[in-house]
Amino acid sequence: MDLLHDLSYFWPAAITSIGGLAAMMAAAFKTDMRWVNAVAVFTALSATVVAASDLVAGHSGLLFSGMVAHGGTAAFGTFVVSLGTLFTLVLSRSYLEKIGHHYAEVYALILFATTGMIVLASATDLVALFVGLETMSVCLYVLAGLVRERKTGIEAALKYFLLGAFSTGFLLYGIALLYGATMSTSLDVIAATTDKGGLYWAGVGLLLVGFLFKVSAVPFHMWTPDVYQGAPTTITGYMATAAKTSAFVAFILVLGRGLQGSVEQWAPVLEIVALLTMIVGNLIALVQHDVKRMLAYSSIAHAGYALVGLTAGTLSGYDGVLFYLFAYTLMNIGAFAVLAYYETADGQERSTLEQFAGLGWQQPALGVALSIFLFSLAGMPPFAGFAGKYQVFAAAIEQGYITLALVGVLTSAAAAFYYIRVMVYLYFKSPEQPVSLPAVDRLYGWTILLLAGLTILFGVMPSLIVNLF
Amino acid sequence: MLTTYLFILLATFAVASAVATILSRHAVTSALFLVLNMVSLAGVYLLLKAQYLAVIQILVYAGAIMVLFLFVIMLLNTDKEESVLKQISLKMVVSFLLGTAVLAQLLFAVAGWTDTLPMISAAMTEVGTVEAIGDQLFTRYVLPFELTGILLTAAVIGALLIAQHHNKKGTS
């Protein structure tokens, strides 16, 4: 085994971990936080570029004695996670400055979390998967409770930590039982096992519970709204996109690589969970008045759509999920970024629908961008969200899950109501007192416009990404 | 045969003390049961010829981590500290130990009679040494090992971030 050779295929994780340490070092020598931010952004940018080139190169194989895979699904997961991190880091500076929590540790933690996510999204061994997941989770627990002065911040951190630790217990127990049943933690060996006793099924069940918690599927979704609402807005975007993407990619690897032989057994389980997730997530989102909380419930619903693709249990289903995650990352980070701007622009801490009245006419470019993101989240053509939904539903129909696709389309239609309601407030309601929002930070504004542009681009031409699988 | 008997005894103790940990009402008693649980587990490791793991289990978990646990618990409810220690009577301790030992005895007898005694594989003899663990850790498991380093660094940074009193609008 040649460590350096293996490392050369695993640069994104190495770069982000070194970047995290570098951000801490930069903070020790430079008092200007912009410096630290620049270091972190540069790190994430290089990781994204390397991940993209790995993705295009198209090689694949196993690294570090079968601990992680490179190429294929893993490379795509790495790319999406790095991209999400990059946008989060760029957007976080101005937001964190405004809420007075601009610390170097935040950037270090985000980069360490990214390292964990990359390992999680490419793990082919349950040991690597677990350590990656924990690295990600520990960083996110701290980041969720960054704003300690607010009660919601403490609530978010505590809830996330306690429930997260509990779900990790389930996952770990599942891993232990699977190890007991198959004598190995390697997904390939688990896939080759033929003797499937009670130990094996108990392990698979507990593993599923752990994963469904991490992707916030109903009935394991209770933590999501409170955590997403209490966390700093750009960090919420990070948790909803990069963290969810890496958990889903790991889910795909575990199901597709390790448990593909048992697809007939786990598909019905996922089918029911997907149905519940889509229905419950969308229904509760309908009655939310806090836009951030509404997006939290919408993220539960989106996990349901992605689960539809997983239920199909075919290659096209998994690819559909991957594209869906990519599209979701673009539009959701964008939506949270615009929310973060509205929240901090003039110290009003806006978050409810009523407070959004008439804001669309202020800073028209951002209003349009938010509308694009919301249309895309609602799954309307020609935005990326539509292309993603189309692919997962098509894969489900191919496998005969007509009910699932039907419920998906119907709940999407219901979801359009609460997304469009935000736009109604933005454009057709007049505010109680006249507001005028100050101009947005230039880099911040352009990043949001770039995200909006990409949302349209990959909605019109999804083949740009789909061909890479 | 003796190893199998010891395994059943230790396993019964581990499960019984784990159940007692979550059932006892006082945090201190809970913590003490947890110590018993960890010591029993260390015994199981010894039976599996994993001497290094057993020593580490005692040193780190039953030692350092449990002392921290107890410190925190005692700091949090100082007023009840005496009453808790008074409640732990010799009778209770002996009855727990004796009861669990008898239960283990019964389980062993039943398992022997129904021919369902667990087997301890002979392949376990070489894997427990420090050399074997170090060898595995730095070859096969090198990536999780390094990532654990990142995990611990992140945990330290996170703890500092939570504990530090940042001034409201400052840089750090």
Side-chain angles (χ1 to χ4, degrees):
Chain A
M1 186 188 78
D2 191 347
L3 265 185
L4 281 178
H5 166 267
D6 284 1
L7 196 60
S8 68
Y9 287 107
F10 209 56
W11 273 122
I15 291 174
T16 48
S17 60
I18 294 168
L21 296 172
M24 286 309 294
M25 291 306 282
F29 292 105
K30 297 274 179 188
T31 43
D32 189 358
M33 281 299 125
R34 281 155 190 266
W35 247 94
V36 183
N37 179 258
V39 169
V41 168
F42 175 73
T43 309
L45 184 65
S46 8
T48 312
V49 170
V50 175
S53 73
D54 279 353
L55 185 62
V56 176
H59 47 63
S60 66
L62 292 177
L63 300 175
F64 297 108
S65 20
M67 284 291 150
V68 288
H70 69 97
T73 309
F76 192 74
T78 308
F79 171 67
V80 176
V81 165
S82 313
L83 193 71
T85 308
L86 174 65
F87 282 122
T88 306
L89 288 170
V90 171
L91 294 165
S92 283
R93 185 181 60 112
S94 129
Y95 176 74
L96 292 176
E97 267 172 4
K98 280 188 183 136
I99 61 167
H101 285 273
H102 195 221
Y103 313 131
E105 290 91 338
V106 175
Y107 296 121
L109 285 176
I110 290 181
L111 286 172
F112 287 144
T114 308
T115 313
M117 288 173 191
I118 292 175
V119 175
L120 175 61
S122 39
T124 50
D125 191 292
L126 294 174
V127 173
L129 181 141
F130 176 70
V131 181
L133 183 76
E134 274 309 276
T135 310
M136 168 182 105
S137 302
V138 164
C139 298
L140 290 183
Y141 299 150
V142 179
L143 290 172
L146 190 62
V147 188
R148 265 182 305 166
E149 301 85 48
R150 271 192 242 150
K151 264 190 183 153
T152 49
I154 299 174
E155 187 192 357
L158 196 67
K159 250 185 197 160
Y160 198 19
F161 175 63
L162 289 179
L163 291 176
F166 199 55
S167 80
T168 302
F170 276 102
L171 191 81
L172 201 54
Y173 207 13
I175 292 175
L177 290 185
L178 267 183
Y179 177 73
T182 62
M183 307 296 259
S184 173
T185 52
S186 161
L187 290 180
D188 294 337
V189 179
I190 291 174
T193 187
T194 47
D195 176 31
K196 291 171 184 169
L199 216 53
Y200 176 86
W201 292 117
V204 171
L206 288 170
L207 206 63
L208 284 184
V209 170
F211 267 116
L212 290 174
F213 178 91
K214 291 292 173 195
V215 300
S216 67
V218 177
F220 311 104
H221 66 290
M222 301 297 183
W223 56 278
T224 318
D226 293 326
V227 173
Y228 282 17
Q229 194 181 12
T233 310
T234 49
I235 303 292
T236 308
Y238 181 60
M239 291 198 290
T241 58
K244 210 168 246 188
T245 301
S246 61
F248 259 113
V249 175
F251 211 176
I252 291 176
L253 281 172
V254 167
L255 292 181
R257 219 184 162 100
L259 305 174
Q260 189 66 44
S262 320
V263 61
E264 278 154 35
Q265 281 82 12
W266 54 254
V269 178
L270 286 190
E271 185 185 2
I272 293 169
V273 172
L275 273 178
L276 281 176
T277 310
M278 287 188 293
I279 295 172
V280 172
N282 279 316
L283 278 188
I284 305 183
L286 281 177
V287 294
Q288 298 303 318
H289 275 274
D290 189 296
V291 182
K292 208 169 158 188
R293 206 172 168 81
M294 180 210 89
L295 277 185
Y297 278 108
S298 111
S299 105
I300 296 175
H302 281 277
Y305 300 135
L307 281 173
V308 171
L310 279 185
T311 308
T314 54
L315 223 51
S316 64
Y318 299 145
D319 288 351
V321 176
L322 289 178
F323 181 82
Y324 196 86
L325 293 168
F326 175 69
Y328 183 66
T329 300
L330 292 179
M331 58 202 185
N332 216 28
I333 287 193
F336 275 112
V338 182
L339 287 196
Y341 168 72
Y342 285 156
E343 184 189 329
T344 55
D346 55 354
Q348 294 278 326
E349 299 214 354
R350 293 186 182 79
S351 63
T352 60
L353 275 172
E354 287 75 22
Q355 288 170 319
F356 274 45
L359 287 187
W361 302 108
Q362 305 286 329
Q363 303 293 329
L366 287 188
V368 171
L370 182 58
S371 308
I372 290 175
F373 297 135
L374 290 176
F375 272 127
S376 178
L377 283 167
M380 295 193 186
F383 303 109
F386 170 74
K389 265 185 195 153
Y390 171 77
Q391 291 191 30
V392 287
F393 291 156
I397 290 173
E398 253 173 48
Q399 289 301 303
Y401 292 103
I402 308 288
T403 336
L404 214 49
L406 204 64
V407 170
V409 172
L410 286 178
T411 50
S412 302
F417 168 72
Y418 61 78
Y419 290 121
I420 289 173
R421 190 171 55 181
V422 177
M423 280 175 260
V424 170
Y425 273 92
L426 280 181
Y427 288 106
F428 300 113
K429 302 254 174 170
S430 45
E432 285 166 17
Q433 292 130 6
V435 284
S436 76
L437 296 178
V440 68
D441 186 89
R442 191 174 293 166
L443 181 64
Y444 197 85
W446 281 113
T447 312
I448 290 176
L449 290 185
L450 174 66
L451 281 166
L454 289 175
T455 306
I456 298 177
L457 176 69
F458 290 110
V460 181
M461 290 191 284
S463 54
L464 285 180
I465 280 291
V466 175
N467 288 345
L468 287 176
F469 294 139
Chain B
M1 207 61 194
L2 182 68
T3 24
T4 317
Y5 174 67
L6 279 179
F7 170 74
I8 300 240
L9 184 69
L10 287 168
T12 316
F13 260 102
V15 174
S17 55
V19 171
T21 306
I22 50 172
L23 287 185
S24 53
R25 288 182 175 278
H26 284 283
V28 178
T29 351
S30 257
L32 290 175
F33 274 122
L34 196 55
V35 175
L36 185 61
N37 174 264
M38 283 162 175
V39 173
S40 328
L41 275 187
V44 174
Y45 290 151
L46 265 186
L47 283 182
L48 294 172
K49 304 265 167 43
Q51 310 92 330
Y52 179 68
L53 268 189
V55 172
I56 291 297
Q57 169 88 2
I58 299 272
L59 275 183
V60 176
Y61 284 98
I65 289 182
M66 280 321 297
V67 168
L68 263 178
F69 265 33
L70 283 171
F71 263 137
V72 172
I73 292 167
M74 299 227 172
L75 280 176
L76 285 183
N77 46 353
T78 37
D79 49 341
K80 287 182 190 160
E81 182 186 330
E82 273 179 44
S83 62
V84 170
L85 287 178
K86 226 177 273 173
Q87 274 182 356
I88 304 171
S89 63
L90 189 66
K91 204 159 70 177
M92 301 283 268
V93 176
V94 172
S95 58
F96 176 82
L97 294 179
L98 214 62
T100 315
V102 170
L103 178 64
Q105 193 75 265
L106 275 174
L107 285 176
F108 181 69
V110 169
W113 189 60
T114 54
D115 213 22
T116 47
L117 279 178
M119 297 288 292
I120 296 177
S121 158
M124 287 302 294
T125 39
E126 296 118 32
V127 295
T129 58
V130 188
E131 290 88 349
I133 288 177
D135 194 38
Q136 285 288 309
L137 217 51
F138 286 97
T139 53
R140 189 161 171 230
Y141 292 98
V142 70
L143 179 79
F145 179 72
E146 298 293 341
L147 193 62
T148 311
I150 301 282
L151 169 63
L152 293 177
T153 316
V156 170
I157 293 174
L160 280 178
L161 184 61
I162 292 175
Q164 232 168 24
H165 291 282
H166 284 287
N167 44 340
K168 187 77 179 74
K169 284 277 174 186
T171 41
S172 79

